């Protein structure tokens, strides 16, 4: 490829290719197969697909002088945040359902269910054993 690693145009091309491959019948079949197995899941399919795309753009290939694959993966996943105009290129941003809420520090929390560290379902209305309660949530794609 004739684009400079780390530029917006480089990541635009990389993310377009990732999107193309993610939506291909072959990749969709891999996602379906992975979800039926106990030893893998869709995230592993996605990680390998992203590595494939980066290799197509020269990452880790002969003559490569840029960062290693792990750093390149992190850069790829961060690119839509570094350049928000790239978000429409990513299926995981086009179909993002989460959003910034309107809760402010000091506001009462809305009623919701969660699972505690022991795996038991809880709600905050059931009472919290301490005054300080940390709610941790995350996503990986």
């Amino acid at each position: 490829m004739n684009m400079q690693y780390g530029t917006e145009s480089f990541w635009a091309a990389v993310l377009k290719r990732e999107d193309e491959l993610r939506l291909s019948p072959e990749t969709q079949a891999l996602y379906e197969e992975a979800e039926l197995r106990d030893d893998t899941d869709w995230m592993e399919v996605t990680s390998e697909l992203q590595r494939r795309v980066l290799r197509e753009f020269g990452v880790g290939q002969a003559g490569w002088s840029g960062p290693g694959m792990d750093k390149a993966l992190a850069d790829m996943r961060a690119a839509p945040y570094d350049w928000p105009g790239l978000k429409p290129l990513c299926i995981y941003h086009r179909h993002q359902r989460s959003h910034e809420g309107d809760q402010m520090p000091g506001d009462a929390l809305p009623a919701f269910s969660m699972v505690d560290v022991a795996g038991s379902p809880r709600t905050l209305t059931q009472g919290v054993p301490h005054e300080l309660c940390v709610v941790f949530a995350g996503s990986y794609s």
Side-chain angles (χ1 to χ4, degrees):
M1 293 290 152
N2 200 14
M3 288 175 272
Q4 184 176 347
Y5 178 89
T7 62
E8 184 176 6
S9 61
F10 177 85
W11 293 121
V14 166
L15 294 172
K16 283 178 189 174
R17 179 65 175 145
E18 177 194 11
D19 194 60
E20 175 185 305
L21 290 175
R22 273 191 188 232
L23 297 173
S24 72
E26 296 81 12
T27 301
Q28 291 300 305
L30 290 172
Y31 282 137
E32 184 177 353
E33 178 186 336
E35 289 305 306
L36 297 173
R37 294 175 43 186
D38 292 331
D39 62 336
T40 190
D41 63 27
W42 68 270
M43 290 186 292
E44 291 180 29
V45 172
T46 298
S47 182
E48 182 50 42
L49 179 139
Q50 290 172 333
R51 291 170 189 277
R52 172 184 166 187
V53 170
L54 287 168
R55 284 189 299 270
E56 287 180 14
F57 282 81
V59 174
Q61 302 303 306
W64 176 252
S65 61
M69 183 59 76
D70 290 341
K71 171 73 168 107
L73 272 171
D75 291 346
M76 178 182 179
R77 294 169 181 163
Y81 298 99
D82 295 336
W83 292 281
L86 298 179
K87 287 183 179 184
L89 302 177
C90 309
I91 192 169
Y92 43 94
H93 284 288
R94 286 196 309 271
H95 299 283
Q96 178 64 271
R97 288 178 271 174
S98 66
H99 59 86
E100 289 289 325
D102 4 346
Q103 289 296 121
M104 299 298 292
D107 287 353
L109 289 175
F112 65 94
S113 297
M114 60 187 156
V115 178
D116 67 18
V117 293
S120 302
R122 305 218 7 136
T123 65
L124 289 180
T125 57
Q126 291 172 320
V128 178
H130 307 287
E131 292 216 7
L132 176 63
C133 177
V134 176
V135 177
F136 177 80
S139 174
Y140 173 82
S141 62

